[in-house]
Amino acid sequence: PTRQIFGALALLAASAAAGGEGGSRLLAWREGQKKEKVAIIGSGNWGTAIAKVVGRNVLEKSGFDPEVRMYVYEEMVNGRKLSEIINKEHENVKYLKGVKLTDNVIADPDVSSAVKDATLLIFVMPHQFLGRLCPQIRGQHARGARACSLIKGIEFDANGPILISSLIKKQMGGMDVSVLMGANVAGEVAKDEFCESTVGYSKVAHGAVWRELFDCPTFRVNKIKDVAGVELCGALKNVVALGAGFCDGLGLGGNTKAAIIRVGLTETIQFCKMFYGGIKDEVRK
């Protein structure tokens, strides 16, 4: 038994050092857990769409616990609890009607219960609720758990912008937080219309496991070691998109829209580099 234990530890160390997908799978073999257990905090249209992607992926890929728990803020829909509807009909009839979830996605109205023993926490909800929910989450997840923020937005204080991932990290006691950002419309993702996204990470092994969790043939995921760059571009691209939309509303031509998009992307990178070091130009590709 001792030889087997040391052999397993050696395999784990080698795989983690390699930073490959096999290593990311084995990284969960700690604290007595052999598989990564996923919890999703949030169940709006984007949360439900990513639940469809993740719910299917954990069934098709090794290294993940097959059950995915999704925290659902309890609401009544036509006299029925939303969580009960999701668990019985496998559909979020309020926020993503017409899209079926896999049976392994379990709606849970108790956030402490939803994250119980989870090693991977996906935050996908309005950031104003973080202050209320994070204290209920801390201590309920597995030791060494990691988080990924899918929340688009920026906070500000007297010193400048504050990343949502930084808010989560602080409120979760220093937990490592990656981000997933892209030009992703929830309804199109849920319908398996092709799109792509990017994971921004600070630790190679964590970036690998998040990519493996999210990536599938219709939702292609790239990764880069640049949390701030990915997160800020994910938020600021929406400002550029508004400008492009204004062009359509004002009846302006394609040249004007192209100029706004080009200048907008350039100024986005300038903004990122003004407030954060280590921003990589590749993040905008």
Side-chain angles (χ1 to χ4, degrees):
T2 301
R3 183 177 298 175
Q4 291 176 341
I5 291 173
F6 279 107
L9 290 174
L11 179 60
L12 171 60
S15 299
E21 292 189 355
S24 67
R25 291 171 183 168
L26 288 173
L27 282 170
W29 201 357
R30 65 196 190 286
E31 305 299 334
Q33 296 195 68
K34 295 183 180 179
K35 293 187 175 182
E36 301 281 11
K37 185 172 178 58
V38 182
I40 300 174
I41 302 110
S43 57
N45 64 342
W46 184 214
T48 305
I50 209 66
K52 179 182 177 181
V53 173
V54 169
R56 183 173 55 200
N57 278 353
V58 298
L59 294 177
E60 296 177 351
K61 300 182 180 184
S62 61
F64 297 100
D65 186 295
E67 181 181 89
V68 175
R69 288 201 165 261
M70 176 174 69
Y71 166 64
V72 175
Y73 178 76
E74 196 69 280
E75 300 177 67
M76 300 301 293
V77 180
N78 296 325
R80 301 169 63 194
K81 293 181 179 179
L82 181 57
S83 62
E84 293 180 357
I85 296 174
I86 294 173
N87 288 333
K88 184 175 181 180
E89 301 177 12
H90 308 294
E91 178 183 346
N92 189 334
V93 296
K94 180 167 184 179
Y95 295 106
L96 201 61
K97 191 175 181 62
V99 173
K100 291 295 183 180
L101 301 174
T102 47
D103 295 357
N104 61 318
V105 176
I106 309 299
D108 193 332
D110 182 344
V111 70
S112 297
S113 171
V115 303
K116 183 68 175 177
D117 298 327
T119 63
L120 299 174
L121 305 177
I122 300 173
F123 286 85
V124 53
M125 61 189 198
H127 72 273
Q128 57 262 38
F129 298 122
L130 289 172
R132 177 173 64 85
L133 292 176
C134 284
Q136 300 177 56
I137 296 171
R138 286 185 63 177
Q140 301 302 317
H141 52 77
R143 290 184 61 187
R146 293 134 289 160
C148 187
S149 172
L150 278 62
I151 303 170
K152 293 183 175 72
I154 309 173
E155 278 290 320
F156 289 88
D157 64 11
N159 298 316
I162 304 173
L163 301 175
I164 302 301
S165 60
S166 296
L167 293 178
I168 296 173
K169 182 174 184 177
K170 180 179 180 180
Q171 295 188 40
M172 293 301 294
M175 179 181 290
D176 183 73
V177 183
S178 301
V179 297
L180 177 75
M181 300 285 160
N184 307 138
V185 177
E188 295 180 8
V189 173
K191 293 176 183 177
D192 288 323
E193 296 180 12
F194 182 81
C195 62
E196 59 85 33
S197 197
T198 302
V199 166
Y201 63 87
S202 59
K203 297 183 179 180
V204 173
H206 295 181
V209 75
W210 287 118
R211 181 186 182 278
E212 185 175 8
L213 177 64
F214 293 121
D215 186 68
C216 69
T218 58
F219 189 66
R220 283 305 186 189
V221 178
N222 302 305
K223 57 186 175 71
I224 187 170
K225 192 175 183 180
D226 185 359
V227 173
V230 171
E231 185 169 354
L232 286 171
C233 286
L236 294 174
K237 69 173 177 53
N238 292 330
V239 178
V240 180
L242 283 172
F246 294 158
C247 285
D248 290 337
L250 293 170
L252 302 177
N255 288 342
T256 306
K257 184 189 292 187
I260 287 178
I261 293 174
R262 185 193 66 79
V263 174
L265 292 177
T266 299
E267 291 185 353
T268 294
I269 295 298
Q270 292 175 345
F271 181 96
C272 294
K273 291 183 175 180
M274 177 181 296
F275 293 102
Y276 291 92
I279 301 295
K280 298 180 179 179
D281 288 338
E282 299 93 317
V283 77
R284 62 182 171 178
K285 295 180 181 178

